[in-house]
Amino acid sequence: MADNAAKVQQLKEQGNACMEAGKLDEAVQHYTSAIQLDDKNHVLFSNRSAAYAKLGKYTDALEDAETTVTLKSDWPKGYSRKGTALLYLQRNQAALETFQKGLTLDANNQQLKEGLTESKRRLQQASAPKHPSMSFFQDPSVLDALRTNPRTKEFMKDPEFCKTLEDIRKSPELLREKMHDKRLLTCISAMMGLDVIGPDDDISDMDADTPPAARSSPSKHTTPPPRAPPKLEEMDVDKTPEQISAMKEKELGNAAYKKKEFEAALSHYNKAIELDPTDMTFLINKAAVFFEQQNYQECIATCEKAVEVGRENRADFKLIAKAFTRTGNAHKALKDYYKAKTFYEKSLSEHRTPDTRELLSKVEKLIKEEERVAYIDPAKSEEEKEKGNEYFRKGDYPLAIKHYSEAIRRNPEDAKIFSNRAACYTKLAEFSLGLKDCNECIRLEPNFVKGYVRKGKILQGLKQYSNAQAAYQKAIDIDPNCQDALDGFRECMMAVNSDPEEVRKRAMADPEVQQILKDPAMRMILEQMQTDPRALQDHLKNPDIASKIQKLLQSGLISIR
């Protein structure tokens, strides 16, 4: 039973580590394996729910969250997981009720409070009165009218556009999402009896965190057909004069931003904000200028104001997400990775985009590396190494490995600790792990004799005598008087001579030996050695050929008399 609990704990920790590293699919696999061993553990279901949510598998996340609540109905975090999954699934009323229930268990839980606030906001946004233009398409006769209107009849020949209109007729709220299609604006204006011309270039959603030089620009070889520039007053028939003036200032600010005239851009954005303080896009663009100027604190404060304005005026959730992402970018630039992670996650809760997911993954890796570096402490490493040595002398190799592993985490640049742990693995016949530690030891300290000796012993244990001889030879090259290396080399020679046929079989299975024997040039040299042994001296002057011949000699496949 204890072994089972230990295995569950190990799998859970592996899942947690994968979550931190952004390896979400692997995290799910570890949690699932743990659940198969203990299907009453509410924490496992909670963790897997979080992993599913990050993967965008919200139905699976909800199912695990509901299991969490069933198993542990007095645990507030279960309700937080469930409410979050419901929000992702746009089940806002159910999410609100879930967060409320969680708060009865822990009235001060910040995650539950934020979830409740967000649920209320979404419900209010859904019940807000729609713009009159959203109801136009609900009348089926309108589609017939559009087919006969000179300004719109060409649009109606496009099946995709007709399908878009049908979708909007069934779900009027889709109109805002589809308004990037200029034909819709023309259709609305035609139904209202107005002559509205759509804007040619809408850059209100520009990604101002990208340097202007990196953004795409119109081709110099493309000459657009001449046409009169659209008037802003004509673009937005439902806007007030102040709002139209604000839009003019924003466009001027965007133009200045692209030219890197940041002070001019700020001036225009500030005027836009004064004229229309209800539009959060002006604040988002202003924050972008602060980011370019490396004034990150002002960028953060302006984004916070943008979110506040957006919430108050029921702004599109994509704009809220954009403000959160920009806040995360500013925190990342300040190397405050934990806060950056928080705001990227907030952004994804509003609107999931591949770019923000990638930003979150990168900052999680930075956090992990920061934690690894912060954990390094040579003094504590030395303490753990001494404990490992003590248990090694007692013959308790598993416990010695535990302390050596902690010593390595505390000081991953100490080659001797890898050598000591390799000795433990050798005692436990875990040769592959021991060999890995030997190679790391040698990488860190190429002249560390004991590292080569330990490697030689492991290879000798694996009966890879030619490779073992090569390791011992390296040790002898560094210290010609190293008795362990000399003894090991002789033992390998004796093993080769005692059963040469077995040695040849093993050698033929060695990929390096196979590659040498497949080389036409080497086959020619070997044939020449049989007919003219004196030719060997000339070939040995070539270091590459000499090393290959040495490999064949050590493997027992050839001999020189």
Side-chain angles (χ1 to χ4, degrees), residues 271-555:
K271 288 177 183 176
I273 292 165
E274 288 174 16
L275 290 163
D276 181 9
T278 66
D279 191 332
M280 69 177 292
T281 58
F282 307 148
L283 288 160
I284 292 177
N285 286 7
K286 181 179 175 181
V289 176
F290 287 133
F291 188 93
E292 291 290 338
Q293 293 178 322
Q294 299 182 10
N295 190 348
Y296 301 121
Q297 294 295 352
E298 282 295 333
C299 176
I300 292 166
T302 306
C303 284
E304 288 175 353
K305 180 65 176 175
V307 171
E308 181 184 331
V309 169
R311 297 283 197 220
E312 289 174 356
N313 294 279
R314 300 188 181 91
D316 190 321
F317 57 87
K318 292 179 183 178
L319 289 174
I320 302 290
K322 192 178 184 72
F324 281 140
T325 297
R326 192 150 289 160
T327 306
N329 290 341
H331 281 299
K332 181 183 174 185
L334 290 168
K335 300 190 184 302
D336 192 341
Y337 301 130
Y338 288 97
K339 283 188 178 178
K341 178 176 182 288
T342 297
F343 281 97
Y344 289 145
E345 288 173 337
K346 285 185 175 184
S347 177
L348 290 170
S349 72
E350 296 287 335
H351 179 56
R352 296 186 72 80
T353 65
D355 289 345
T356 305
R357 285 186 68 175
E358 185 178 353
L359 286 169
L360 176 61
S361 178
K362 287 180 179 178
V363 85
E364 284 175 337
K365 288 177 182 177
L366 289 170
I367 288 171
K368 187 176 180 181
E369 177 61 16
E370 196 175 60
E371 289 174 346
R372 186 191 71 80
V373 172
Y375 198 69
I376 292 174
D377 187 330
K380 289 183 179 179
S381 174
E382 193 63 29
E383 290 176 13
E384 290 295 330
K385 185 174 79 169
E386 288 305 317
K387 289 178 183 177
N389 293 344
E390 182 183 338
Y391 284 108
F392 183 88
R393 287 190 289 269
K394 292 178 181 178
D396 191 343
Y397 304 120
L399 202 52
I401 287 172
K402 179 182 176 182
H403 287 290
Y404 286 142
S405 297
E406 177 63 15
I408 287 169
R409 284 191 287 271
R410 290 291 187 178
N411 187 5
E413 300 300 317
D414 190 334
K416 295 180 177 60
I417 308 174
F418 285 99
S419 174
N420 290 3
R421 191 170 70 174
C424 290
Y425 283 134
T426 305
K427 294 288 186 181
L428 294 171
E430 292 281 1
F431 297 124
S432 60
L433 294 173
L435 193 58
K436 185 179 177 182
D437 272 359
C438 286
N439 288 332
E440 183 63 15
C441 167
I442 291 166
R443 185 190 71 80
L444 291 168
E445 198 169 328
N447 292 321
F448 186 46
V449 173
K450 190 172 281 189
Y452 292 105
V453 172
R454 291 211 196 284
K455 182 177 180 178
K457 287 189 180 298
I458 291 173
L459 292 168
Q460 195 174 343
L462 293 169
K463 296 186 178 181
Q464 296 180 19
Y465 299 119
S466 63
N467 291 333
Q469 280 181 285
Y472 288 134
Q473 186 61 57
K474 284 280 188 181
I476 293 167
D477 290 344
I478 297 168
D479 180 5
N481 298 317
C482 178
Q483 196 60 45
D484 286 340
L486 292 167
D487 291 344
F489 193 91
R490 278 194 294 268
E491 288 169 5
C492 289
M493 290 293 293
M494 289 173 63
V496 169
N497 294 325
S498 65
D499 190 355
E501 188 57 34
E502 179 65 25
V503 170
R504 284 191 181 92
K505 285 182 182 178
R506 291 185 179 276
M508 291 302 293
D510 185 335
E512 188 178 349
V513 171
Q514 291 174 9
Q515 195 65 35
I516 292 171
L517 295 177
K518 287 179 182 176
D519 185 348
M522 280 302 299
R523 286 204 304 269
M524 188 180 297
I525 290 169
L526 292 173
E527 289 173 5
Q528 190 179 15
M529 284 169 57
Q530 292 178 342
T531 58
D532 183 9
R534 289 174 298 178
L536 176 64
Q537 298 300 323
D538 292 331
H539 290 308
L540 290 176
K541 292 176 183 178
N542 184 321
D544 183 49
I545 294 174
S547 67
K548 291 178 179 178
I549 291 174
Q550 181 68 21
K551 176 70 178 180
L552 296 177
L553 285 168
Q554 290 174 347
S555 68

Side-chain angles (χ1 to χ4, degrees), residues 46 80 88 118 192 216-217 232 277 354 425 436 447 502 518:
S46 173
S80 177
Y88 280 129
E118 177 59 16
M192 295 174 68
S216 62
S217 58
L232 280 168
Y425 283 134
K436 185 179 177 182
N447 292 321
E502 179 65 25
K518 287 179 182 176

Side-chain angles (χ1 to χ4, degrees), residues 235-255:
M235 293 180 197
D236 299 289
V237 295
D238 61 338
K239 291 188 179 296
T240 65
E242 290 79 8
Q243 289 173 321
I244 293 171
S245 297
M247 289 297 292
K248 286 182 178 179
E249 291 294 339
K250 186 196 77 168
E251 296 301 328
L252 291 170
N254 291 349

